[in-house]
Amino acid sequence: LGLGSIAGPAFAAPEGLEPNPIEDITNYNNYYEFGTGKTDPAENAGALTTQPWTVKIDGKVDKPGDYQLEDIIANAQIEERIYRLRCVEAWSMVIPWNGFTLASLLERAGVQSGAKYVAFETVARPEEMPGLRYPVLNWPYREGLRMDEAMHPLTILATGLYGKDLPNQNGAPLRLVVPWKYGFKGIKSIVRITVQDEEPFTSWSDANGREYGFYSNVNPEVNHPRWSQATERVIGAGLFGSRRETEMFNGYADEVASLYAGMDLKKFY
Amino acid sequence: MATTTSPGPWDRVTRTVNDATRKVPAWPLYIIGAVPPVWIFVAGLTGQLGVDPVKAMEHQMGEWSLWLIIAGLCITPLQRFAGIRLLKYRRAIGLLAFFYILGHLLIWLVLDVQIPSQIIADIVKRPYVTVGFAAFLMLIPLALTSNNRSIRWLGAGWRKLHQMVYAAAILGALHFIMLVKGFQLEPFIYAAVILALLALRLSWFTRWSRRGR
């Protein structure tokens, strides 16, 4: 496909996003393996060992195996992507990620023709992740994408932010970023990527399928059963006037709407 | 708890507390009670509540409200089962709870949701908001009748009316359970404490505990 080479700043739409300061990005996290409070990950994630790190790539690929992170990065074309992150909890912030396209890694592993989905899994180490003591979700955290979503040039695996190594609370050493989907689709600290034909198990739709669907595309017209998704609180905007209107596909409709042509987005939420 | 007839250490604690409370009036509670909301607001304004101050203020005021409701519900069982008399502080605690909930609601209305049409849609369509709002509405008549004149005027009806706080407390706990994502322990702890305090008021429990003595 060769998408990696053309996935440059041209895809960093919408334009003119002002990134949040690094303090916002690193002190306001949902990473339930380290606790359900927004500052719990910043307090607890330091214990996670991220070196050495291996990602198992398996399933319908030509070259399955344990890929060392250094090796993945050495072969990747790292670029900056400034994306707005829209959380399903109706808040957003802007993050300058460093990373490479998921497509480039999948191509390296050799996705077999006809494979339909990609499944992801987060590391689960009870001794380093105090949140795993509580059954908030069915651990380990798992996520998934349809193959065309996974191969889309906007979809990246992030290894850093603000030009520095990814902090642990943001999903070090390797996390998914899919800017047109709610933040929880961006699975953190990935240890396994499986190419498969069945729709992957996803932790949040398992926990509450009525509230969190497999697609979870940002959509101001499809409300969460418990709150509206029409607007979002802008993190870092202070006490007053901190709400903005949520955009269809988080502002990336021109790039991704065609992936869902003909689908009822109320049904496939 | 009190199984012996001779005065034990527990009776001494009870007597000390009761002697002390006889001297301490209730009015300072209103002044002390104003401190947390003011502190929360100033902390929010000066950036001490993290990067999402609105949610933090909302959450902290909500938690304080639950603590005050729980404190108010403790007074009768403490008197009935431990002989500790704190009844004279109950009105202040109840009124503070009401004002904290009002503050919690105002933060949500003015600073969080902001948009009037969305506020109404949220109250009608979002069950956790509906439940929380219903609890607030229930507390309005209670706050309005938390004065000596109303007690005289309503007579026996006053006690009946104020038992509505039981329903409001349950709705408050439910509101917390319904708004978190995934399975989280904290809201269930609040619900368990509130349900336990209400269970202590059931007549079978009172009868059972009397027989036990």
Side-chain angles (χ1 to χ4, degrees):
Chain A
L1 286 168
L3 288 170
S5 54
I6 60 160
F11 285 99
E15 295 290 307
L17 293 182
E18 187 63 45
N20 281 71
I22 193 152
E23 294 75 33
D24 292 7
I25 299 167
T26 55
N27 289 292
Y28 195 82
N29 305 99
N30 279 330
Y31 196 162
Y32 284 3
E33 286 87 335
F34 295 108
T36 52
K38 290 285 184 288
T39 52
D40 289 347
E43 280 160 33
N44 300 327
L48 182 69
T49 316
T50 57
Q51 275 180 322
W53 196 269
T54 310
V55 181
K56 180 191 273 301
I57 303 181
D58 61 357
K60 302 190 86 178
V61 289
D62 296 331
K63 287 171 274 177
D66 292 335
Y67 287 67
Q68 295 301 317
L69 184 70
E70 295 85 14
D71 177 57
I72 291 174
I73 291 174
N75 283 282
Q77 194 184 324
I78 306 281
E79 45 187 295
E80 182 178 69
R81 297 287 182 96
I82 301 174
Y83 287 155
R84 174 173 285 119
L85 180 126
R86 169 59 158 83
C87 179
V88 73
E89 296 165 346
W91 54 263
S92 70
M93 60 168 84
V94 176
I95 305 177
W97 299 107
N98 309 104
F100 55 91
T101 60
L102 172 62
S104 64
L105 179 62
L106 290 174
E107 277 157 27
R108 215 186 129 200
V111 173
Q112 292 174 1
S113 67
K116 294 195 180 82
Y117 293 97
V118 185
F120 304 86
E121 195 175 304
T122 295
V123 72
R125 291 192 200 130
E127 65 282 11
E128 294 182 351
M129 302 171 118
L132 292 178
R133 269 177 282 168
Y134 308 99
V136 181
L137 292 167
N138 185 349
W139 313 116
Y141 194 86
R142 280 157 285 174
E143 258 307 336
L145 294 173
R146 217 168 57 186
M147 187 56 72
D148 56 345
E149 298 173 328
M151 297 307 262
H152 195 280
L154 281 174
T155 304
I156 60 163
L157 289 170
T159 53
L161 55 87
Y162 270 112
K164 291 183 220 138
D165 282 349
L166 203 58
N168 285 2
Q169 61 265 42
N170 295 87
L174 189 71
R175 69 165 289 170
L176 182 67
V177 181
V178 193
W180 70 92
K181 292 178 180 284
Y182 292 120
F184 69 85
K185 293 293 289 183
I187 184 169
K188 300 183 177 83
S189 308
I190 296 167
V191 288
R192 187 173 180 189
I193 299 175
T194 308
V195 175
Q196 59 189 54
D197 281 338
E198 315 78 52
E199 186 176 286
F201 175 100
T202 57
S203 293
W204 276 108
S205 54
D206 168 69
N208 195 338
R210 205 174 68 87
E211 297 188 354
Y212 310 100
F214 173 76
Y215 288 93
S216 288
N217 293 317
V218 175
N219 188 337
E221 284 149 33
V222 177
N223 288 327
H224 186 280
R226 287 183 283 152
W227 54 81
S228 166
Q229 296 290 24
T231 60
E232 63 207 37
R233 268 188 351 276
V234 179
I235 299 301
L239 273 194
F240 308 101
S242 58
R243 210 163 256 279
R244 71 185 292 276
E245 285 187 12
T246 294
E247 292 171 65
M248 190 67 202
F249 294 113
N250 204 22
Y252 301 95
D254 288 350
E255 287 84 0
V256 303
S258 60
L259 300 179
Y260 311 100
M263 284 173 72
D264 179 356
L265 296 180
K266 281 201 162 67
K267 193 170 165 222
F268 298 98
Y269 53 93
Chain B
M1 218 169 284
T3 47
T4 50
T5 44
S6 58
W10 181 252
D11 298 288
R12 240 172 289 143
V13 171
T14 307
R15 208 173 306 134
T16 317
V17 172
N18 288 343
D19 285 348
T21 54
R22 218 164 285 141
K23 286 169 220 143
V24 181
W27 62 262
L29 277 180
Y30 293 101
I31 296 166
I32 298 167
V35 174
V38 169
W39 184 85
I40 287 169
F41 193 74
V42 170
L45 269 181
T46 53
Q48 292 171 66
L49 291 180
V51 299
D52 192 9
V54 175
K55 263 285 153 291
M57 288 167 69
E58 211 171 274
H59 188 85
Q60 287 189 17
M61 281 301 282
E63 242 173 14
W64 271 102
S65 305
L66 282 170
W67 291 337
L68 284 166
I69 290 281
I70 287 169
L73 289 176
C74 282
I75 298 210
T76 297
L78 273 176
Q79 180 156 332
R80 190 175 293 163
F81 302 110
I84 294 175
R85 299 171 175 281
L86 297 170
L87 199 63
K88 71 189 230 197
Y89 305 113
R90 193 170 64 179
R91 178 184 294 170
I93 291 171
L95 280 171
L96 282 174
F98 174 77
F99 284 113
Y100 276 51
I101 292 164
L102 179 65
H104 173 69
L105 179 68
L106 285 175
I107 292 165
W108 178 73
L109 286 174
V110 179
L111 298 179
D112 187 352
V113 184
Q114 296 170 19
I115 304 151
S117 62
Q118 199 176 319
I119 290 169
I120 293 160
D122 274 357
I123 290 173
V124 178
K125 288 202 300 202
R126 318 256 165 253
Y128 85 91
V129 180
T130 316
V131 163
F133 196 72
F136 170 73
L137 290 181
M138 282 179 172
L139 293 177
I140 293 174
L142 307 200
L144 290 174
T145 55
S146 286
N147 52 71
N148 293 338
R149 240 173 73 189
S150 296
I151 294 174
R152 277 196 300 273
W153 181 55
L154 288 166
W158 187 90
R159 184 185 279 265
K160 277 249 144 53
L161 176 68
H162 278 249
Q163 281 175 346
M164 206 148 65
V165 75
Y166 304 158
I170 291 172
L171 291 183
L174 193 61
H175 171 70
F176 194 10
I177 288 174
M178 289 170 81
L179 65 85
V180 298
K181 265 166 67 205
F183 173 76
Q184 297 189 32
L185 207 55
E186 195 190 355
F188 285 100
I189 294 172
Y190 281 93
V193 169
I194 286 172
L195 289 177
L197 286 168
L198 296 184
L200 292 177
R201 290 165 161 81
L202 294 173
S203 54
W204 64 262
F205 188 88
T206 315
R207 252 180 280 132
W208 172 81
S209 69
R210 276 205 199 109
R211 204 176 302 147
R213 283 189 188 204

